């Protein structure tokens, strides 16, 4: 979980961003703070991974607050004034949310925070090599080696999983929980889209309403509880929006 602070001197704005944070499954809200001073006190005793901070605050504004931190966490600035955008990115902010913003904008910024967090917290020994891009599975009384990049999608089937792979006409069936495999797959490439499905995001050819199309014969449903996060992923990669 990514431990988050919300910082805003306006009670309504702080309430709204707190509600949004609580909708993101990989965020853990440590505290909602009404000033930079209060946030600084929290950060002296708590490990904080990311902050959503308003720029225009009395006493110490959000920009100056971030600049004075020796080792700042991941930062998303929130403000009603667009002229701060360039300055925000000069301090390596992950994103910039212009008020008023909705849940979809917040989800997009949250996904960027997660991607940066995952990148920063990838252990050195897990950086890509030929050996570490593979997993071993026990199936039919033998152990097989699977290239992670070859996994097209995964389907849950009671206590078993079906792994659909490039180059194989039939799935590999393994005795394994969905959660355990989800934890082992790289989160920047694989996403849970349904209670019964994990998809390799690089294999998606088309999204049509509530279905993901892998090829002309493979359609995967998007579950209600996973739709917001998947839509945020799509929004973060749209090009040429009007």
């Amino acid at each position: 979980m990514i431990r988050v602070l919300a910082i805003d001197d306006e009670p309504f704005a702080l309430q709204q961003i707190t509600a949004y944070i609580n909708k993101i499954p990989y965020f853990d809200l440590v505290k909602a703070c009404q000033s930079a001073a209060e946030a600084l006190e929290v950060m002296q005793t708590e490990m904080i991974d990311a902050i959503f901070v308003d720029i225009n605050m009395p006493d110490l504004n959000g920009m100056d607050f971030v600049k004075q931190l020796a080792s700042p966490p991941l930062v998303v600035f929130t403000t009603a004034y667009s002229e701060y955008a360039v300055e925000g990115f000069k301090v390596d902010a992950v994103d910039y949310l212009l008020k008023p913003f909705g849940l979809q904008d917040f989800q997009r910024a949250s996904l960027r925070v997660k991607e940066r967090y995952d990148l920063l917290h990838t252990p050195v020994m897990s950086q890509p090599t030929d050996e570490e891009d593979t997993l071993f599975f026990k199936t039919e009384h033998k152990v097989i080696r699977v290239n992670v990049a070859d996994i097209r999608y995964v389907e849950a089937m009671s206590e078993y999983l079906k792994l659909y792979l490039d180059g194989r006409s039939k799935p590999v069936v393994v005795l394994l929980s969905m959660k355990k495999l989800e934890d082992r797959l790289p989160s920047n490439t694989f996403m849970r889209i349904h209670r019964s499905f994990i998809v390799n995001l690089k294999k998606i050819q088309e999204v049509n309403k509530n279905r993901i199309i892998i090829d002309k014969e493979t359609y995967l449903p998007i579950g209600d509880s996973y739709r917001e996060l998947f839509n945020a992923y799509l929004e973060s990669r749209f090009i040429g929006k009007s």
Side-chain angles (χ1 to χ4, degrees), residues 72-170:
L74 301 175
V75 177
V76 176
F77 286 115
T78 64
T79 183
Y81 301 93
S82 60
E83 61 265 26
Y84 287 108
V86 174
E87 189 178 357
F89 287 112
K90 284 182 179 179
V91 296
D92 197 29
V94 175
D95 209 345
Y96 176 96
L97 288 168
L98 185 63
K99 296 179 180 179
F101 53 85
L103 178 59
Q104 194 171 56
D105 292 325
F106 186 83
Q107 288 172 323
R108 184 167 56 249
S110 299
L111 189 60
R112 289 174 179 158
V113 170
K114 184 178 186 300
E115 289 173 344
R116 183 81 67 90
Y117 177 87
D118 289 343
L119 181 63
L120 292 173
H121 290 79
T122 299
V124 174
M125 66 168 139
S126 295
Q127 291 180 354
T129 68
D130 289 342
E131 291 298 320
E132 292 158 356
D133 281 344
T134 63
L135 293 172
F136 288 88
F137 296 92
K138 186 175 182 180
T139 178
E140 297 178 351
H141 309 292
K142 60 185 177 182
V143 176
I144 66 168
R145 176 174 175 163
V146 172
N147 291 324
V148 172
D150 289 342
I151 300 175
R152 303 170 72 227
Y153 66 97
V154 180
E155 181 181 6
M157 183 183 63
S158 187
E159 297 179 347
Y160 292 83
L161 299 180
K162 290 182 177 180
L163 310 180
Y164 292 84
L165 310 174
D166 286 338
R168 282 180 177 259
S169 58
K170 294 183 179 180

Side-chain angles (χ1 to χ4, degrees), residues 2-24:
I2 300 173
R3 293 169 59 80
V4 178
L5 279 186
I7 311 167
D8 200 307
D9 64 302
E10 298 178 8
F12 177 77
L14 187 62
Q15 182 180 8
Q16 181 190 51
I17 200 167
T18 297
Y20 286 169
I21 289 172
N22 287 330
K23 290 179 179 290
I24 305 299

